[in-house]
Amino acid sequence: MTGTGIPARSHPRREPRPRLHAPAPGWSIDADVVVVGSGVAGLTAALRCEAAGLRTVVVTKARLDAGSTRWAQGGIAAALGEGDTPGQHLDDTLVAGAGLCDEEAVRILVTEGPDAVHRLIATGAHFDAAADGALELTREGGHHRRRIAHAGGDATGAEISRALVEAVRARTIPTVENALVLDLLTDAEGHTAGVTLHVMGEGQHDGVGAVHAPAVVLATGGMGQVFSATTNPSVSTGDGVALALRAGAEVSDLEFVQFHPTVLFLGPDAEGQQPLVSEAVRGEGAHLVDAAGTRFMLGRHELAELAPRDIVAKAITRRMLEQRAEHMYLDARHFGPAMWETRFPTILAACRAHGIDPVTEPIPVSPAAHYASGGIRTDSTGRTTVPGLYACGETACTGVHGANRLASNSLLEGLVYAERIAADLAARKASGTLTPRTPHTPAPARDPHPLLPPEARFTLQRIMTEGAGVLRSAESLTRAADRLQHLHDQAREALDQHGKTTEPGVDTWETTNLLCVASALLTAAALRTETRGCHWREDTPDRDDDTWRRHIVVRLNPDRTLAVHTTQTADFPPTGQPARRNPRPLQEQ
């Protein structure tokens, strides 16, 4: 299941692709574009597509406002302040990305970003402002200037989500809520023709159905639920990346999972979504200390507590190992009650709900999985390597983040690249190339893919946390891959012996998606034998630019083996053309 090799591009398009085991669609609706996901990226894409006259349908896994965007605390980064420039924002992003950012992708982000934020404000988002009406801007890790716009103190994502959801409803854009996307539909030539989905009883339709459309925009968010402790909501199970892999799309940089340094520590056995303590708290002057009150970030980096997230997460983890401690502390008692109540009311409430009062005591914190810098590989217009399939937001890999995302660049990336996707689709509509496609019904797979039982999800999360968390090594990654293979083999054995798989359903589909993305992540992490950004290999602790200043690209073959190759440089090749192979041979994993 985790075997690798150079991608074989000679597979005929009609060869059956892996698909989730699910009933045939019992209903369908038609559109020009189906947007899957309702965070900042998905709703921005939907609004811009609808404004361009495209028949647009939004499909989302829960409610319209239930994705990762609403949980974003810190804010949105853009060169909006006096004296700040896109060039300075670009420099900070490139430094944080540890040599793996696609510079042109970053240039697009920082250049188009300020206007995109102003369009978001025009849509109805209200950001915190000073008495003179100017935006209040703060700093976060890796930024040399105050360029983070925020709302409600520390509730930026919630405000952005509110504004976009209201705009979508005001434009009466058709939406299907409580719907898990299953697989991509394609025509006989392999072009996108829509998606299949399962509505969970409370949406517009019940059961498995389809949206037929010549363009699909995946904005399904992250895959933080692949780890035991994460800041991601429960819906972040990597569904978009898994769908893209099954459809034959390339994914990249999956090994670079950013662990947020300061997540409220709820105990060693805590699982699922954990409360985030925003980087903006450090941006306003909070200090990281150990149990003795010693500031251990001083001398480790010129920005101390405001160093890029990978550096801070590593420093916290090292200190925990040195002192055999379960967590460190974030000390912001000097803020006083008034600042806590006005600037960070959400964090204050979350801490107090768990018995911690940051006004009078330091906050126990430890790293937890936060953001996937990698995802479905796209070009500058959001196109993937599958014709008609687009991706934006956290599920996409545009090349902006490189090996480590700069704080608060994620909301901006969602805005900018969603708008670029809409512009590309509008141009296709105007040129007559966005036309309906007839879904092709492939022959049934000769070797059905088993679904994992729901209880395997927790086992998988523990395997990934132990083997591919903040600290990694060849040994830990190999052990994790073997244990994941065992999960698959158990499901395979049950299918072979009894002729049927686990009952299809949301829990089993999500767990199977998690296995898919976890396997791809482990394959890439095992191959990258260096330490770079948020990929920290204990056994290869140095950065190796000569060998590894390039991206690892993973693709799922029709026989469900994982094929791996690398790009030639840190820049992404065009998605419409094969990437050139790394002249160094890749070993079978």
Side-chain angles (χ1 to χ4, degrees), residues 276-349:
L276 175 67
V277 182
S278 170
E279 196 153 342
V281 178
R282 281 175 282 136
E284 296 293 350
H287 303 144
L288 281 166
V289 299
D290 59 20
T294 303
R295 287 182 64 187
F296 55 87
M297 284 304 301
L298 294 176
R300 290 181 180 265
H301 191 275
E302 61 169 332
L303 295 177
E305 280 90 357
L306 285 178
R309 288 178 177 173
D310 63 309
I311 293 172
V312 180
K314 291 173 189 176
I316 291 174
T317 304
R318 284 194 181 107
R319 196 70 161 191
M320 289 164 57
L321 290 172
E322 290 167 3
Q323 300 186 350
R324 296 184 178 180
E326 293 180 326
H327 59 81
M328 290 288 110
Y329 294 92
L330 187 64
D331 192 352
R333 290 174 289 179
H334 54 285
F335 284 5
M339 182 173 177
W340 269 110
E341 290 166 4
T342 58
R343 180 67 179 85
F344 301 111
T346 306
I347 298 171
L348 178 64

Side-chain angles (χ1 to χ4, degrees), residues 450-475:
L451 295 173
L452 265 65
E455 58 269 20
R457 175 172 178 160
F458 304 105
T459 303
L460 181 150
Q461 290 171 330
R462 288 192 292 271
I463 290 170
M464 292 299 291
T465 297
E466 294 168 7
V470 178
L471 300 176
R472 302 170 177 179
S473 67
E475 181 182 358

Side-chain angles (χ1 to χ4, degrees), residues 45-98:
L47 285 166
R48 300 293 179 262
C49 284
E50 192 272 342
L54 299 168
R55 292 180 302 152
T56 305
V57 172
V58 175
V59 172
T60 188
K61 194 172 178 180
R63 302 184 314 276
L64 278 182
D65 63 350
S68 294
T69 291
R70 65 177 292 200
W71 298 101
Q73 294 176 345
I76 185 167
L80 298 164
E82 184 177 353
D84 197 5
T85 65
Q88 294 176 65
H89 190 183
L90 181 143
D91 290 342
D92 286 345
T93 300
L94 295 181
V95 169

